[in-house]
Amino acid sequence: SFFIKILLTVLAVVMIPFGVGKMLETTKASADDLTVYVSSTGNDEAVGTADAPYQTLEKALSIVEDGATIVLKDTVAINGWNGHDKTITITGGALDASGMADIFINDNVTFTNMTWKVDNNAEIYANCNTVVMGKNVAISGSNVYLYGGSDEGSTIDCTDLTVLSGTYGYIFGGSHGVSGNTATINRDTNLTIGGTTSASYVFGGANGSSDIFGTSYLRVTGGTFEGAYGGNQGTNAGNDVDMEITG
């Protein structure tokens, strides 16, 4: 009886490190909660590591923790963007939104060191999210429209768009409305332009038929463009304007 107890104790001591080792091995094989990888040749049933990346941005968005980074290993196609109420960074590779006339970014995102592959005249909407086009972001299409707000008929709270790189046709802090289908923003629009950004025209406010029940803030710290306007294009949105150029 005493011998059996000793034997069981020895076995337990030997088995515990083995169990811990297997547990650590499993954890190591899974993606870091704060960095996941996506590749066009990946698999959404994988674990999101550099060696076993996901295939779609949607899968990565659904898995990552708030504050995480999604690394694009190559060109990843998207055909939409479901909101996940997260704040993330997307870097590397490219997002291919070819064939999409309107592209909605439905999370708070900082883009860096990556390319947007979009059609000529495409419209990209931050859709009331905090969006930063950070350093070394390239836009493949020409005459691309970038909005801090949303599209026609929409009602959103406010906007917060920062653009530090990329080449665009027009950049608006507000939304895009059309006659008979007004776009509404209930509070302020916030647009910051700087870095190496290049655009034909920049507007702190909206494009087309819009209501802004707040102030349009435009801050310019750098970049090149033909014209910068604190207000709106083609509409009287009834809002105040606060514009500052320091670079």
Side-chain angles (χ1 to χ4, degrees), residues 92-159:
L95 287 177
D96 187 354
S98 301
M100 297 177 65
D102 300 324
I103 302 147
F104 295 88
I105 301 168
N106 287 320
D107 286 287
N108 302 313
V109 187
T110 296
F111 299 95
T112 64
N113 302 307
M114 54 83 66
T115 298
W116 273 98
K117 293 189 175 182
V118 297
D119 295 340
N120 297 341
N121 304 307
E123 298 186 340
I124 303 174
Y125 296 92
N127 207 28
C128 194
N129 293 288
T130 299
V131 170
V132 179
M133 296 295 187
K135 293 182 178 180
N136 301 317
V137 173
I139 308 294
S140 67
S142 64
N143 199 42
V144 171
Y145 289 66
L146 177 62
Y147 295 90
S150 194
D151 63 349
E152 59 194 66
S154 63
T155 299
I156 61 175
D157 187 38
C158 59
T159 72

Side-chain angles (χ1 to χ4, degrees), residues 156-159 185-189 211-216 239:
I156 61 175
D157 187 38
C158 59
T159 72
I185 299 176
N186 288 325
R187 295 196 296 146
D188 299 336
T189 65
D211 291 323
I212 300 175
F213 298 104
T215 299
S216 287
N239 58 298

Side-chain angles (χ1 to χ4, degrees), residues 225-247:
F225 36 83
E226 294 181 34
Y229 304 87
N232 312 286
Q233 175 177 259
T235 186
N236 180 4
N239 58 298
D240 293 330
V241 170
D242 189 325
M243 178 177 175
E244 180 181 3
I245 300 178
T246 59

Side-chain angles (χ1 to χ4, degrees), residues 35-38 57 68-74 76 88-95 109-115 135-137:
T35 305
V36 300
Y37 295 80
V38 182
L57 178 65
T69 296
I70 296 174
V71 180
L72 308 176
K73 298 193 70 178
D74 55 13
V76 176
I88 58 170
T89 297
I90 295 179
T91 188
L95 287 177
V109 187
T110 296
F111 299 95
T112 64
N113 302 307
M114 54 83 66
T115 298
K135 293 182 178 180
N136 301 317
V137 173

